[in-house]
Amino acid sequence: MAENEWLNKDFYKVLGVSKDASDQDVTKAYRKLARKYHPDLNKTKEAEEKFKDVSEAYDVLSNKDQRQKYDAIRSFGAGGARFAGGSGAGAGGFDASSFSDMFGSMFGGGMPGGAGGNGNVRFSTGGASGPDLSDLFGGAFGGSGMGGGRSRFGGAGGQQYAYEEAAPEKGEDRNSAVTLTFRQAVKGATVSLKLGAERFKAHIPAGVSDGQKIRLAGKGKPGRNGGAAGDLYLKVSVKPDARFTLRGIDLVGVLPVTVSEAGLGATVETKDFDGKTLRVKVPAGTSSGTKLRVRGEGVHTRREVGDLLLEVEIRVPKKLNAAAKKALKTFDAQTDDFRGEVEGLR
């Protein structure tokens, strides 16, 4: 920031340290505030402004030369300051003799106010009658004015980079893949993973689907300057099952029935995903493709439980004896209207 703004900035107050704070105290205070107000960790507008103020304060106070200049300029006061000449410090506690060479180069001789600079000198920071402090300090510190960049004093820009690198930064994310059996996808599983030289275990939640990505927080690359580690995104592949598929948290299977069971209705037995026997009611007049729902027999997650959906599949024997053929023809004749409906759908 420009030196002409230093008169109105109390950097010690911004960092919450005293004017005689050590370099270590300044750095410690900055890191604490940077973690609190860093834009990556605190998304509020107020935090963004606070972070800027904290960074500006650290930029100056952490640089020995800049801090000395800041202390000298602040000694002037917001509306003008009085310097006591001579070798001793004045009432304000500032020894102007240390600036005799600087003022001498500006005014063509010693300190104004007397030979050798023993008089009292007053400078005003504003107004038509007073000298412009921007020009004064610009000439003194090697610039044409006070509105230049941080590199004005030869190294301020470097300091800027130093404290930006010291700010906590989250590590980069990583990507990996894992293949599960269908049962592991339904029930959940703990798998062992290896990334480079690192080995660790990860929990895969129940109900994960093929192609889904799971975020494992903190398993990415390490953070920098005390920042959090990145995340690991794990792409899941699920091997197919001979009987079931997944639809969300519902299990989907097939329920084979005979023509008479579908036509007359029946209660049939089948096996659930774990091999347990289930009794399922097939309503009379059920057609192929009808889905029968069995509550609570799907995927069990921490928050909810899925169902088992059984799709009815009417099976007909490939070979029929004479009596069976005759029975079917009789059935067909007795349901002539229904046969017409079906033919209309073709």
Side-chain angles (χ1 to χ4, degrees):
M1 66 183 293
E3 296 88 351
N4 59 353
E5 297 178 24
W6 288 358
L7 291 169
N8 300 317
K9 296 279 187 176
D10 190 343
F11 294 145
Y12 294 101
K13 184 177 181 181
V14 170
L15 293 181
V17 298
S18 63
K19 292 184 179 180
D20 58 351
S22 66
D23 293 343
Q24 290 81 2
D25 293 336
V26 170
T27 300
K28 182 178 179 181
Y30 163 72
R31 288 178 176 173
K32 179 179 179 181
L33 294 172
R35 285 193 295 268
K36 181 178 180 181
Y37 297 117
H38 196 282
D40 290 344
L41 305 175
N42 193 327
K43 303 295 185 181
T44 65
K45 184 65 176 177
E46 179 183 2
E48 181 180 351
E49 295 300 322
K50 288 279 190 181
F51 184 75
K52 289 180 181 179
D53 292 340
V54 168
S55 297
E56 289 173 347
Y58 181 74
D59 188 20
V60 174
L61 298 186
S62 63
N63 183 287
K64 182 178 180 180
D65 293 337
Q66 291 244 48
R67 183 173 179 177
Q68 289 178 347
K69 294 181 179 74
Y70 170 74
D71 290 339
I73 291 174
R74 286 282 294 179
S75 296
F76 281 24
R82 192 173 188 84
F83 295 95
S87 60
F94 182 84
D95 185 359
S97 62
S98 60
F99 281 84
S100 60
D101 292 339
M102 179 183 76
F103 291 130
S105 66
M106 292 183 209
F107 298 112
M111 284 287 291
N118 291 322
N120 290 326
V121 182
R122 179 179 294 277
F123 294 97
S124 173
T125 60
S129 60
D132 186 350
L133 283 180
S134 296
D135 293 337
L136 185 152
F137 284 102
F141 298 140
S144 59
M146 299 186 72
R150 288 191 173 92
S151 61
R152 173 182 302 279
F153 298 124
Q159 184 61 40
Q160 171 73 12
Y161 288 114
Y163 76 71
E164 283 188 352
E165 291 176 354
E169 294 182 31
K170 184 180 179 182
E172 296 178 8
D173 295 333
R174 293 193 290 189
N175 294 281
S176 189
V178 66
T179 299
L180 305 178
T181 64
F182 190 82
R183 175 165 292 277
Q184 286 176 317
V186 171
K187 299 295 186 178
T190 299
V191 297
S192 296
L193 300 173
K194 180 181 178 182
L195 291 176
E198 182 182 3
R199 293 179 180 270
F200 59 90
K201 294 184 180 296
H203 176 68
I204 308 297
V208 65
S209 59
D210 185 59
Q212 182 176 341
K213 281 191 174 183
I214 297 175
R215 173 177 168 267
L216 302 178
K219 292 300 182 180
K221 294 184 179 180
R224 293 175 289 277
N225 306 317
D231 301 326
L232 172 63
Y233 288 89
L234 192 63
K235 185 176 181 179
V236 177
S237 296
V238 180
K239 295 179 180 179
D241 184 77
R243 291 186 60 213
F244 296 97
T245 59
L246 269 175
R247 185 179 301 170
I249 59 171
D250 292 333
L251 278 167
V252 180
V254 174
L255 181 66
V257 298
T258 65
V259 174
S260 61
E261 287 172 337
L264 300 175
T267 297
V268 300
E269 291 186 350
T270 188
K271 300 291 185 181
D272 69 0
F273 182 69
D274 293 319
K276 182 180 66 177
T277 299
L278 293 176
R279 293 177 61 81
V280 181
K281 183 176 180 180
V282 179
T286 297
S287 298
S288 285
T290 300
K291 290 183 175 60
L292 305 178
R293 185 180 294 271
V294 183
R295 302 283 181 183
E297 293 294 335
V299 178
H300 289 237
T301 71
R302 293 181 178 180
R303 297 182 179 180
E304 53 188 339
V305 177
D307 301 328
L308 173 61
L309 302 178
L310 295 173
E311 185 174 338
V312 173
E313 187 178 85
I314 299 174
R315 298 287 181 90
V316 178
K318 292 181 178 180
K319 294 183 178 181
L320 298 172
N321 58 30
K325 291 178 180 179
K326 183 178 179 180
L328 284 177
K329 289 179 180 179
T330 301
F331 175 80
D332 198 38
Q334 295 296 319
T335 57
D336 188 61
D337 291 343
F338 175 72
R339 185 179 65 179
E341 292 178 11
V342 174
E343 289 176 348
L345 296 174
R346 294 173 184 168

